Amino acid sequence: MTQPVTISTQDGIATVTIDNPPVNALSQAVRQGLAQAVQQTEADADVRAVVLLCAGRTFIAGADVREFGQAPQEPHLPDVIDMIEGASKPWIAALHGTALGGGLEVALGCRFRLAVPSARLGLPEVNLGLIPGAGGTVRLPRLVGAPAALEMIAGGKMVSADKALSLGLVDRIVAGDLTQAALEFAKGEALETTVEPLMARDVAQPDSNAWEAQKAAIAKRARGQNSPLAAITALENALALPADQALAKERELFFQLKDDPQSLALRHIFFAERSAGKMLRLKGVKPRPFDEIGVIGGGTMGAGIVAACLLAGLRVVMLERDDDSLSAGQERVQNTLAQSHKRGLIDADALARMQGNFSGATDYAALGTADLVIEAVFEDMAVKKDVFTRLDAATKPDAVLATNTSYLDIAEIAEAVADPSRVLGLHFFSPAYIMKLLEIVHPPKVADDVLATGFALAKRLGKIAVPAGVCDGFIGNRIMSAYRRECDYMLEDGALPQDVDAAMRNFGFAMGIFAMQDMAGLDIAWAMRKRQAATRPADMRYVDIPDQLCELGRFGRKTGAGWYDYSSDPKGAPDALVEGIITKASADKGITRVPLSADEIMGRIIGVMQSEGRKILAEGIAQSPEAIDVVMVNGYGFPRWRGGPMFMAGME
Ligand code: T1G
Ligand code: NAD
């Protein structure tokens, strides 16, 4: 078996190279190799300094998360890092790609850190329900200060090389060849400059008011997740205790969290997001090329999809039904780009480039050169079929045609074109340029390379793609329709919208289902219920409370009232009129209203999610329980640290 860690020495400089694809994770073999490298270079009198670098696309991206389920094996990472930090010859970490978690902790054990401009650095352990477990919470504040360290560790976000340089986290950004620059540095500055190991340094006490405010903000953002709070405790220890004691406390906390159900759930989702999008039938299938995208409809979704494509560097033609609708759609897109520029996500050159890549039309001829077209017009079968008929005539025969429908039968839409094999569903979530989830819906006749093109687009847009079969609402909307129905039942049984929403927020959802409906608009679901009325089983319980609200023109925020009243409170206030409609609905059905506890409410919601999930799996609409969890977490606000409804059912 090839050794993942190799050493070569030249001109008194040893180069230690880690090569453990795909992301140079710190497996037992890598830790073993590093420990041996310290012993070997310390023993070699010719070696004056050591450069540590990684082969492949990235520096160490962390501990090997797959090993977490096993008993910890020696050498343990903190010990390896202590060896590097305690070495008599300076170690220089040469960083490219993403230096994350245990990888950054190894770099913090080195005396110096150099990085390429595109490198990103971070301690994202909180995203796995953990905290750094190999000295990150003790060494980082000694290098960048406690406030910056707390933000990085509790926030779990990566920082750019520029930001890292400004924090003092890296000593140099090197433009040219990293290895060469590191060897030069090792022969020169590294030997001429004495710097204290981080564990030997003091940590500056932060301004107490600012510190308290920072901690309070983090606790508020945690919304029930334990690891950000543990990060605060660890940083408090780093400020209050001697370094070695703080290190021991960190390790204790790390092992507590490692067995915490929240960390198990977050690790489940981490790997589920990486496996859910893999389809066996697409192994080795080449996607069709796509440089020019057409988008039909410039409304909420169309404009969002156009922006997502432009932000990914694609050329886009937006087609609308008339000039007024087109300029309204173009304005939405321009506003989104301007916002992204204002927030520093894109610079002026990129903004100009994206505006240059964007054009509008009302004539289908403008789509004659498009490689892929995404339709996002009204949710009406006749309107969509008409659009696809026109697309069939206007587009290249090998152009991929996609629909963003929320519920409609994509196999039926595909029959509107001569070659249905070039039609698939690309179901984005609002706002499409932000939401990470993309359901890729595969109708029976879709060609493999058309499907592969959908996945390639998802990767290009930075989306988490999940394949879904054709049914009413695919995976996410179907499950949401089921638990929304259950929530309507609970209104008749004894709950009020604010009770259900409060239970969902306490459970960890960012927003309850009734507030969410008011945000999306009650009219979309109303249209769907009307469409389903003809096929609804006669014996199926039906709650007409939402219909009554819609008949009153209460479509939610966009009409100033829905389940809640937005006239006096922008967050929405409970409304006596709605309560009246609800209690009358119970009385009309002879239902005695009984208050429901938060646990009862959540038990019913999760129960329905799981039973609908099982049906979806049995029908082959979703290819795995993981796929359902990824959809619910990334598309419907299911709290990540609970893993998803199917994980909670013990299905994984
Ligand atoms: N361990 C094991 N496998 C990993 C891994 C890891 N840390 N990181 C990635 N992989 C696998 C992943 O499953 C996928 O496998 C492949 O690598 C490519 O990943 C002591 C305890 C690095 C930014 O949290 O954020 O250190 O699906 O598809 O989009 O304090 O992966 O191909 O079979 O995501 O280019 C802390 C986690 C660990 C970073 C690359 N580190 N990784 O993104 O590729 S805890 C992290 C990422 C820790 C110490 C503690 C991303 C990435 P497969 P990918 P990518
Ligand atoms: P919307 O009403 O905001 O926008 C629809 C746009 O389509 C309008 O600008 C309209 O002018 C245009 N249009 C209608 N008929 C057209 C035609 N024949 N040719 C060209 N343009 C035409 O609707 P939306 O919310 O953006 O929804 C669009 C589609 O996306 C629907 O199928 C919907 O179910 C789906 N969807 C919506 C959401 C959401 O949260 N709103 C999420 C996912 C999917």
Side-chain angles (χ1 to χ4, degrees):
M1 192 183 88
T2 52
Q3 290 306 319
V5 179
T6 54
I7 308 172
S8 62
T9 303
Q10 193 175 8
D11 305 335
I13 308 299
T15 301
V16 174
T17 305
I18 299 174
D19 189 0
N20 181 32
V23 295
N24 292 310
L26 288 156
S27 61
Q28 191 281 335
V30 171
R31 298 193 307 272
Q32 185 77 52
L34 279 175
Q36 284 161 353
V38 177
Q39 288 152 349
Q40 195 176 323
T41 52
E42 283 296 280
D44 185 339
D46 294 337
V47 171
R48 294 176 293 137
V50 181
V51 168
L52 172 62
L53 51 82
C54 291
R57 63 182 171 157
T58 182
F59 189 77
I60 307 164
D64 190 333
V65 178
R66 293 183 197 284
E67 289 185 355
F68 284 7
Q70 307 149 16
Q73 288 184 300
E74 297 203 346
H76 301 305
L77 187 56
D79 305 329
V80 174
I81 296 174
D82 281 350
M83 290 171 72
I84 292 173
E85 187 171 60
S88 64
K89 298 147 189 198
W91 280 57
I92 299 103
L95 314 177
H96 75 293
T98 51
L100 302 175
L104 184 55
E105 290 174 299
V106 167
L108 290 170
C110 297
R111 215 52 59 80
F112 302 97
R113 286 153 293 279
L114 310 185
V116 294
S118 59
R120 290 177 293 154
L121 298 80
L123 293 173
E125 285 84 346
V126 288
N127 303 330
L128 296 170
L130 302 165
I131 59 169
T137 69
V138 181
R139 290 189 173 88
L140 188 64
R142 282 167 165 72
L143 186 59
V144 303
L150 181 58
E151 209 47 49
M152 281 182 69
I153 295 171
K157 293 204 172 48
M158 301 186 211
V159 297
S160 67
D162 282 341
K163 176 75 180 171
L165 184 69
S166 68
L167 288 172
L169 180 52
V170 299
D171 300 283
R172 198 71 82 255
I173 292 186
V174 295
D177 179 86
L178 177 62
T179 306
Q180 215 37 55
L183 291 171
E184 292 309 314
F185 186 92
K187 289 179 196 146
E189 238 177 292
L191 297 175
E192 296 145 10
T193 320
T194 305
V195 291
E196 240 189 334
L198 291 175
M199 285 296 280
R201 299 186 198 180
D202 293 333
V203 56
Q205 296 297 319
D207 168 79
S208 55
N209 292 338
W211 184 248
E212 292 310 317
Q214 187 182 2
K215 292 190 296 177
I218 289 165
K220 187 159 178 272
R221 279 200 312 264
R223 271 196 295 115
Q225 191 172 333
N226 298 336
S227 51
L229 307 180
I232 292 174
T233 306
L235 264 294
E236 291 276 15
N237 290 337
L239 287 169
L241 302 171
D244 54 350
Q245 291 178 29
L247 200 61
K249 288 274 183 202
E250 175 198 83
R251 198 73 179 156
E252 235 175 79
L253 257 176
F254 173 77
F255 279 111
Q256 271 170 28
L257 290 166
K258 197 156 81 70
D259 301 328
D260 183 316
Q262 289 195 4
S263 182
L264 299 174
L266 287 161
R267 281 143 45 195
H268 157 75
I269 276 290
F270 175 83
F271 286 114
E273 283 171 346
R274 283 151 184 83
S275 64
K278 295 187 173 139
M279 294 185 85
L280 222 49
R281 66 184 274 191
L282 297 185
K283 211 166 173 32
V285 175
K286 212 164 159 302
R288 298 183 186 180
F290 55 88
D291 294 314
E292 185 173 310
I293 309 291
V295 175
I296 317 261
T300 309
M301 294 310 292
I305 295 167
V306 169
C309 294
L310 291 172
L311 288 163
L314 292 159
R315 278 182 291 112
V316 186
V317 179
M318 171 197 273
L319 187 130
E320 258 286 357
R321 56 191 169 145
D322 56 45
D323 292 339
D324 290 351
S325 307
L326 179 60
S327 13
Q330 288 171 317
E331 195 185 332
R332 288 189 193 96
V333 174
Q334 294 298 355
N335 288 346
T336 303
L337 295 180
Q339 278 299 319
S340 301
H341 176 55
K342 200 158 154 234
R343 292 176 49 215
L345 301 174
I346 54 175
D347 62 24
D349 293 349
L351 177 63
R353 207 172 36 253
M354 292 171 192
Q355 288 168 333
N357 282 341
F358 178 36
S359 60
T362 56
D363 184 340
Y364 277 75
L367 299 173
T369 53
D371 304 304
L372 189 159
V373 179
I374 304 169
E375 163 275 314
V377 302
F378 297 141
E379 183 75 349
D380 178 281
M381 183 58 90
V383 174
K384 291 193 189 289
K385 287 172 101 170
D386 172 61
V387 167
F388 274 76
T389 305
R390 295 165 184 263
L391 279 176
D392 198 22
T395 54
K396 304 184 290 187
D398 63 350
V400 170
L401 305 179
T403 172
N404 183 53
T405 180
S406 303
Y407 293 93
L408 297 175
D409 182 346
I410 299 175
E412 185 181 339
I413 293 174
E415 292 307 321
V417 302
D419 173 10
S421 76
R422 63 179 180 135
V423 176
L424 79 168
L426 291 179
H427 184 223
F428 289 80
F429 289 76
S430 181
Y433 57 94
I434 292 177
M435 293 294 279
K436 295 278 282 176
L437 183 66
L438 180 61
E439 282 182 323
I440 300 191
V441 187
H442 43 88
K445 294 183 180 170
V446 69
D448 284 353
D449 66 338
V450 167
L451 212 42
T453 309
F455 281 94
L457 177 74
K459 193 165 176 73
R460 177 75 184 265
L461 301 183
K463 301 293 185 192
I464 298 172
V466 177
V470 172
C471 70
D472 211 320
F474 322 124
I475 299 174
N477 279 349
R478 176 169 162 179
I479 292 176
M480 184 184 63
S481 304
Y483 70 83
R484 185 175 47 215
R485 210 172 24 247
E486 186 67 19
C487 291
D488 290 348
Y489 293 165
M490 287 194 268
L491 293 184
E492 280 187 346
D493 296 345
L496 291 172
Q498 54 269 33
D499 303 330
V500 174
D501 284 358
M504 292 184 75
R505 285 195 308 276
N506 292 342
F507 183 82
F509 281 86
M511 187 181 282
I513 189 146
F514 293 105
M516 196 267 292
Q517 288 178 57
D518 274 356
M519 199 172 67
L522 275 64
D523 46 337
I524 297 180
W526 193 28
M528 182 194 66
R529 287 193 300 277
K530 282 187 206 163
R531 201 183 61 247
Q532 289 175 338
T535 55
R536 190 180 306 121
D539 60 351
M540 184 172 176
R541 181 179 179 180
Y542 187 72
V543 176
D544 71 349
I545 297 168
D547 299 347
Q548 293 186 49
L549 297 186
C550 289
E551 278 141 20
L552 292 169
R554 297 174 67 105
F555 295 142
R557 281 175 181 274
K558 59 186 174 186
T559 56
W563 290 105
Y564 298 101
D565 172 17
Y566 298 88
S567 58
S568 55
D569 177 350
K571 285 207 199 73
D575 191 326
L577 181 148
V578 174
E579 186 167 342
I581 290 173
I582 292 172
T583 49
K584 182 173 180 312
S586 307
D588 291 351
K589 289 193 178 170
I591 297 172
T592 308
R593 296 180 59 74
V594 180
L596 295 170
S597 70
D599 286 350
E600 284 170 313
I601 290 171
M602 289 317 300
R604 286 176 62 167
I605 291 176
I606 305 297
V608 164
M609 284 185 184
Q610 292 165 341
S611 61
E612 198 65 29
R614 288 191 189 92
K615 289 183 205 154
I616 283 173
L617 287 169
E619 295 168 26
I621 300 295
Q623 56 180 18
S624 68
E626 286 84 355
I628 295 175
D629 287 338
V630 169
V631 166
M632 298 315 291
V633 165
N634 288 286
Y636 299 81
F638 196 99
R640 222 181 148 77
W641 50 270
R642 291 190 185 270
M646 308 321 280
F647 176 79
M648 289 183 71
M651 293 178 74
E652 59 173 316

